[in-house]
Amino acid sequence: MSTPESLDTLRHSAAHLMARAVMRLYPNVQLAFGPNVENGFYYDFLMEDRLTEEDFPKIEAEIAKLIKLNEEFERIELPIHDAVELLQGIGQTLKVEHVKELADANTISFYRQGEFVDLCRGPHIDKPKAIGAFKLMSLAGAYWKGDAANPQLQRLYGTAFASKKELEEHLLQIEEAKKRDHRTLGKHHELFALDAKVGQGLILWLPKGAIVRRQLENFISEELVKRGYQQIYTPVIGNIDLFKTSGHYPYYAESQFPPIGMQDGDEFLLRPMNCPHHIMVYQQKPRSYRDLPFRIAEFGCVHRFEQSGELSGMTRVRGFTQDDAHIFCMPEQVEAEFRACIEMTLHVLQTMGFGDFSVRLSFRDWTSDKYVGSAENWKRAQASLEKVCQTMFSEGELPNLEIVEGEAAFYGPKADFVVKDCLGRRWQLGTVQLDYSLPSPERFDLEYTGADNKPHMPVLIHRAPLGSFERFFGILIEHFAAAFPLWLAPEQIRILTVSEKFGEYGSAVLSKMQSAGLRVSLDNRSEKIGAKIREGRLDLVPYLAVVGAKEAENGSVALRSRKEGELGEVGVDAVVEKLSEEVRMRVL
């Protein structure tokens, strides 16, 4: 299977085989849904027996038998009434309930393989022998249609490939990912913490992690100054009417914390987005075309009430800080400003070591009613975004470009940056969004006075190169396996004394390096130097500087690099210059 599409088809077929195997082995199994997910598939079952991982070999053996039978997948299409009768006849009540909700459907498609019949739109592979390797991966709980009021289901995850070699490579990648798990490394290296007493999904940035975050903030702030932004601060809470005007409430009601009622009757909301506050900054005085583009930025904290089962370390949280910015500009400035936002995002990601990425243009689904704003403005916004990105793609600035319908924000189309980490995993990080809706008379009714002395509506661009500091940091930990490059490292160099009698010289070196702005520590314990070096390596300190009699006499250190090994005796001034230049250049 050489393409993602063909691999998806293979895995969807494997999901059917898995469901068929479970039904053969256990009585009274009700089928729910069995879609593909990243790197595999799952199927949800309502059944009396409780599955455990000890059942996996038995189920896998049954799947192997079904593959050996090599029976074809046969497509069947039935009128909706006949589809209901078929499902009732085979006792699949969950599927009956689902079909009855498909009021607009004239016909329903099924796939049959032997005695197994399942509601499915397809497609499938011709015969199961195309599945070269498969494996059951894990179990989880779920609710029918995601509603806690509905029956609880058992979710069985699996994966499949065209060859055993591909499966083996995938399993090796999973093992490496476990070693790099940011939750494990974050705890071991004291970068961040999660504490139930604080609350699920709320991050405690520990001192070492806070250093890394501060370097990221400093880097972004430098770029903001270079690119003409003004930084602001706004509250993490706002009157609910502000979010009703923006449309975030009730559009995102399920993912927002409940409103906070006040004694005077007002209601407030922990903000799920920064943009309404930034819009109010724009509205603090009349604006002229001479003021535009007006670029404002904030490291703004927002809150989303994610379900507890969806929380995951730093990558899925309830409180997070975005490197957010909003640009208010004239229509004729849109393309230049949008391009500048993309260029900044490219620079940020490449500086962090994410050179392998693609850009996904997320457009409107014209059959959906979830979007706000006129069709004319949507078409104008999408045309501008596509023109900029296609131009940059043709010029070689964007390596990959795809258009996906139905993934736009409710107020406008966007360009999302999907990066590949060192393990080949893909993450959606930075985003740039074009918005004709929030500035409109139906929303915030934003204006500026044009050169013709008449009022005009500005266009709004939303932009966040990292996305959120929490999620980005979690991904960064795994990408570097917590071995951060020098400019980000919580501790950049550690001075190790051969014995305590060289503590005075070690302190002098420490002072000199601290004065140069390096993050440095001194280990003057009575431990053997070999033990100190091993500890420094385990702590992933980029540089170790050993000092003894010769170094004290020569004003030098014996320098060791985490990447390059022993560098020999180097003068203290030369070490300071070397490390300072590496930090300045943000060497990876």
Side-chain angles (χ1 to χ4, degrees):
M1 293 291 162
S2 58
T3 68
E5 292 78 14
S6 57
L7 186 56
D8 283 346
T9 301
L10 182 144
R11 286 173 173 166
H12 185 51
S13 302
H16 275 232
L17 290 173
M18 182 177 74
R20 184 181 177 189
V22 169
M23 292 186 75
R24 280 185 161 201
L25 294 169
Y26 301 94
N28 304 318
V29 175
Q30 289 283 319
L31 299 177
F33 297 122
N36 286 346
V37 292
E38 186 176 6
N39 296 320
F41 54 86
Y42 70 78
Y43 218 112
D44 287 343
F45 304 102
L46 179 62
M47 53 193 290
E48 296 170 2
D49 291 89
R50 210 70 181 132
L51 294 175
T52 70
E53 291 191 5
E54 293 178 356
D55 296 310
F56 286 7
K58 178 171 63 175
I59 298 171
E60 288 174 339
E62 192 67 28
I63 295 172
K65 290 179 185 177
L66 294 173
I67 291 176
K68 191 174 182 179
L69 285 175
N70 205 29
E71 295 170 304
E72 291 186 7
F73 289 91
E74 178 189 358
R75 183 179 174 89
I76 305 169
E77 293 189 2
L78 295 174
I80 194 162
H81 174 75
D82 293 345
V84 170
E85 283 192 350
L86 171 63
L87 292 168
Q88 287 174 333
I90 59 176
Q92 290 297 321
T93 57
L94 295 180
K95 299 280 189 175
V96 170
E97 177 188 329
H98 179 62
V99 169
K100 286 181 176 179
E101 293 173 356
L102 302 176
D104 297 333
N106 295 318
T107 60
I108 301 294
S109 62
F110 294 82
Y111 276 83
R112 179 167 58 197
Q113 190 198 40
E115 82 286 356
F116 181 77
V117 180
D118 195 12
L119 179 71
C120 179
R121 71 177 60 174
H124 284 281
I125 54 179
D126 293 331
K127 291 188 176 182
K129 280 194 175 177
I131 302 171
F134 63 89
K135 185 173 179 60
L136 301 188
M137 302 301 294
S138 62
L139 280 162
Y143 291 104
W144 170 238
K145 297 201 169 180
D147 189 340
N150 287 336
Q152 187 165 19
L153 311 173
Q154 297 182 69
R155 177 167 293 179
L156 182 55
Y157 284 93
T159 192
F161 291 88
S163 69
K164 290 182 179 179
K165 181 183 177 183
E166 289 173 294
L167 175 60
E168 289 169 359
E169 290 173 350
H170 176 67
L171 296 177
L172 284 173
Q173 185 185 76
I174 290 174
E175 287 305 309
E176 182 61 27
K178 288 179 181 177
K179 296 176 188 176
R180 291 170 175 259
D181 190 315
H182 74 280
R183 293 164 294 187
T184 302
L185 292 176
K187 182 177 182 179
H188 177 75
H189 293 285
E190 299 178 6
L191 298 169
F192 73 93
L194 290 159
D195 194 310
K197 292 179 181 177
V198 176
Q200 285 187 309
L202 301 174
I203 302 297
L204 296 172
W205 290 79
L206 303 180
K208 290 181 181 179
I211 289 173
V212 181
R213 172 170 169 164
R214 192 158 56 249
Q215 302 316 305
L216 294 174
E217 290 177 349
N218 291 344
F219 170 48
I220 297 294
S221 292
E222 287 175 20
E223 290 301 316
L224 293 174
V225 172
K226 291 176 186 176
R227 298 168 190 268
Y229 287 82
Q230 301 175 76
Q231 288 186 272
I232 60 171
Y233 299 93
T234 59
V236 299
I237 193 170
N239 192 296
I240 198 169
D241 289 337
L242 180 68
F243 300 99
K244 288 180 178 178
T245 300
S246 71
H248 292 103
Y249 189 91
Y251 280 94
Y252 291 139
E254 291 184 0
S255 59
Q256 294 168 358
F257 279 84
I260 303 165
M262 308 299 286
Q263 289 182 343
D264 60 6
D266 282 345
E267 285 187 297
F268 284 79
L269 197 67
L270 276 172
R271 66 179 177 189
M273 299 281 190
N274 298 307
C275 32
H277 286 73
H278 289 198
I279 288 171
M280 299 314 295
V281 170
Y282 178 88
Q283 287 190 314
Q284 290 309 298
K285 71 174 188 178
R287 305 285 175 180
S288 157
Y289 71 97
R290 294 187 179 89
D291 300 322
L292 305 185
F294 179 59
R295 308 181 189 100
I296 52 175
E298 177 183 17
F299 299 139
C301 184
V302 298
H303 293 82
R304 311 269 175 85
F305 190 72
E306 303 285 1
Q307 297 299 313
S308 58
E310 297 175 335
L311 298 173
S312 178
M314 296 192 90
T315 57
R316 196 72 181 264
V317 295
R318 286 176 172 163
F320 55 94
T321 302
Q322 296 175 310
D323 60 325
D324 216 350
H326 292 88
I327 299 136
F328 302 81
C329 62
M330 294 184 285
E332 56 267 33
Q333 297 171 327
V334 163
E335 291 181 11
E337 290 298 313
F338 200 89
R339 177 170 185 140
C341 288
I342 292 178
E343 288 172 344
M344 179 178 176
T345 305
L346 291 175
H347 175 65
V348 168
L349 294 179
Q350 289 166 349
T351 300
M352 299 296 171
F354 293 109
D356 190 348
F357 60 87
S358 61
V359 176
R360 183 176 62 217
L361 304 185
S362 298
F363 285 175
R364 174 176 180 161
D365 174 3
W366 293 100
T367 65
S368 174
D369 60 358
K370 74 174 185 178
Y371 304 101
V372 299
S374 69
E376 179 186 354
N377 281 337
W378 269 91
K379 290 176 182 177
R380 185 189 311 169
Q382 293 187 173
S384 295
L385 187 155
E386 186 171 4
K387 179 182 176 183
V388 170
C389 291
Q390 289 288 4
T391 300
M392 295 184 75
F393 176 72
S394 64
E395 293 172 352
E397 293 188 59
L398 298 181
N400 296 294
L401 189 64
E402 64 172 327
I403 296 176
V404 181
E405 293 187 355
E407 295 297 322
F410 76 93
Y411 47 74
K414 56 181 180 171
D416 291 327
F417 287 76
V418 182
V419 304
K420 185 186 288 187
D421 67 11
C422 64
L423 294 180
R425 299 171 301 180
R426 295 194 174 274
W427 304 90
Q428 194 271 301
L429 292 177
T431 185
V432 187
Q433 305 173 356
L434 189 56
D435 182 2
Y436 284 81
S437 299
L438 293 185
S440 69
E442 295 77 19
R443 293 292 170 182
F444 285 100
D445 197 17
L446 303 187
E447 290 185 352
Y448 68 91
T449 302
D452 58 3
N453 210 31
K454 294 180 180 178
H456 299 267
M457 187 189 83
V459 182
L460 178 57
I461 297 174
H462 310 246
R463 187 237 65 201
L466 301 183
S468 84
F469 283 101
E470 285 75 9
R471 187 166 186 267
F472 188 83
F473 187 44
I475 294 167
L476 207 63
I477 292 171
E478 297 190 3
H479 183 63
F480 289 118
F484 298 107
L486 185 70
W487 72 278
L488 285 174
E491 183 182 359
Q492 294 171 323
I493 183 167
R494 184 179 297 177
I495 302 162
L496 312 175
T497 57
V498 173
S499 71
E500 291 176 278
K501 66 182 180 180
F502 300 107
E504 184 177 347
Y505 176 64
S507 295
V509 175
L510 176 78
S511 179
K512 193 163 194 174
M513 290 184 175
Q514 284 177 331
S515 298
L518 295 174
R519 296 187 288 278
V520 56
S521 67
L522 172 64
D523 185 349
N524 191 37
R525 295 174 299 163
S526 58
E527 299 284 341
K528 291 182 178 180
I529 188 63
K532 292 181 181 181
I533 291 171
R534 282 193 298 274
E535 189 172 315
R537 287 174 175 167
L538 290 173
D539 288 344
L540 304 177
V541 182
Y543 286 96
L544 302 176
V546 178
V547 296
K550 183 172 66 169
E551 290 78 21
E553 182 180 347
N554 297 336
S556 63
V557 300
L559 192 63
R560 294 168 179 259
S561 166
R562 189 179 63 204
K563 293 190 297 182
E564 304 169 79
E566 294 191 27
L567 300 178
E569 188 179 353
V570 184
V572 174
D573 289 339
V575 172
V576 168
E577 184 178 349
K578 171 182 170 61
L579 271 61
S580 297
E581 179 64 9
E582 195 173 322
V583 169
R584 188 183 71 81
M585 296 297 294
R586 296 191 171 95
V587 174
L588 292 172

